[in-house]
Amino acid sequence: MRIGFVGLGVMGMPMAANLVAAGHELAVYRGRDGVDGHHCDSAADAAERSEVVILMLPDTPDVENALFGPDGVAEGIRPGSLVIDMSSISPTATRSFAERIEKLGCDYLDAPVSGGEVGAQQATLTIMVGGRPDVFERARPLFETLGKNITLIGGAGAGQTAKVANQIVVGLTIEAVAEALLFAERAGADPAVVRQALMGGFASSRILELHGERMVNRTFDPGFRIRLHRKDLMLAVQAAAELDLALPNTAATQQLMNAAIADGDGDLDHSALYKTLRRQPRNQAPRRSP
């Protein structure tokens, strides 16, 4: 296929590379050198050259601007084309974007992903899709190039709703692992040994395996930045307010991420919440015997 790809960052770069490796022809915008394809001067140019446009951008305003701003996708896209937004953004805004693109005679899917940079590199992403079933089937070959666990959740915006739910689980689990390993450390046990023991029990999880190891080794180079995860939890908290829904632990974890960003750690991996917990005034007090 001829694919326009808008947004070649930490996730978008390896995703675009996998599409090229599968034989697709790319026109890229907002990308760095390193991916084969035509480098465009605008999103409109990328859309004009393509039958499918994929967006992988940081936040809702970025997607809106790329779609509908000056020289945006909407100015270059041709009827019959398909727009796939693989960013993680507001479900409410997504439904509006889908409606506006469909009025141009085009199709729209929201298809946010989970799996981080490693999943993007290895083409093992989980892809959560919102849109019409027939459009989903049209895009399936592309999704199968990028990921392994591919699910049509429901109509427009449903993929983004599933991604917000995913980020709640991931964020709260990272915070729980950080608390557990900090507790082990302060109680006088070796966190690395505790983590290994927990990996064989009911507490075992992918997050304990990967992010627990990062916490033990203090290696916080970003796979997924705290700043971006905080954005996702803000989407959850805002949506909860619209639904008159209480998500107290989601809100608390978002506040912990606020503290991490205030401390200058917003561009570290989200496993660096361990650092944020260790810096809390109470947690810096001299250790007392149990």
Side-chain angles (χ1 to χ4, degrees):
M1 294 183 183
R2 289 175 289 106
I3 301 172
F5 205 109
V6 179
L8 276 71
V10 170
M11 295 289 290
M13 179 71 78
M15 291 167 66
N18 286 332
L19 291 168
V20 171
H24 299 289
E25 179 184 337
L26 260 63
V28 300
Y29 175 62
R30 282 189 63 171
R32 300 166 290 180
D33 292 336
V35 172
D36 291 337
H38 181 84
H39 286 255
C40 300
D41 294 327
S42 68
D45 184 20
E48 189 173 1
R49 294 172 180 271
S50 308
E51 55 191 302
V52 177
V53 179
I54 296 175
L55 295 92
M56 191 62 178
L57 296 167
D59 204 349
T60 306
D62 301 295
V63 173
E64 183 171 22
N65 185 63
L67 288 174
F68 306 112
D71 292 322
V73 168
E75 293 188 8
I77 200 168
R78 290 173 290 185
S81 297
L82 169 61
V83 174
I84 306 175
D85 179 27
M86 305 190 79
S87 319
S88 297
I89 67 168
S90 162
T92 303
T94 291
R95 288 188 285 272
S96 171
F97 297 165
E99 184 177 334
R100 292 169 70 180
I101 290 295
E102 288 169 354
K103 285 181 178 179
L104 299 176
C106 302
D107 293 322
Y108 192 97
L109 295 173
D110 52 288
V113 304
S114 179
E117 184 180 6
V118 172
Q121 292 168 345
Q122 298 178 354
T124 57
L125 293 167
T126 290
I127 305 176
M128 297 154 272
V129 187
R132 297 201 319 269
D134 60 316
V135 181
F136 172 72
E137 291 302 326
R138 176 184 175 188
R140 185 188 288 275
L142 297 178
F143 294 146
E144 290 176 345
T145 299
L146 300 172
K148 297 297 183 185
N149 183 19
I150 303 158
T151 307
L152 177 62
I153 306 295
Q160 297 295 353
T161 296
K163 179 58 187 291
V164 170
N166 179 85
Q167 295 303 79
I168 292 172
V169 172
V170 172
L172 271 61
T173 307
I174 287 175
E175 197 277 339
V177 169
E179 285 195 14
L181 295 182
L182 180 59
F183 166 76
E185 176 187 343
R186 287 293 301 273
D190 184 338
V193 177
V194 170
R195 170 187 163 276
Q196 192 61 44
L198 297 181
M199 284 298 300
F202 202 56
S204 179
S205 70
R206 188 72 169 152
I207 288 172
L208 179 62
E209 178 187 358
L210 295 181
H211 293 305
E213 184 176 35
R214 287 173 176 264
M215 295 172 193
V216 167
N217 295 333
R218 310 289 202 272
T219 53
F220 300 122
D221 292 339
F224 189 70
R225 289 175 170 82
I226 289 175
R227 189 180 309 281
L228 291 177
H229 202 150
R230 190 270 299 267
K231 176 264 298 182
D232 292 338
L233 293 192
M234 287 175 63
L235 291 175
V237 171
Q238 290 165 0
E242 294 172 4
L243 296 168
D244 292 328
L245 179 66
L247 299 177
N249 292 324
T250 300
T253 302
Q254 182 210 326
Q255 289 297 322
L256 190 63
M257 291 181 178
N258 288 345
I261 292 169
D263 288 335
D265 290 342
D267 290 320
L268 296 182
D269 186 78
H270 44 183
S271 57
L273 286 184
Y274 182 75
K275 286 180 61 179
T276 311
L277 282 171
R278 292 183 90 246
R279 278 197 298 259
Q280 298 302 300
R282 176 69 178 174
N283 293 340
Q284 294 178 6
R287 184 170 66 86
R288 296 178 294 175
S289 298

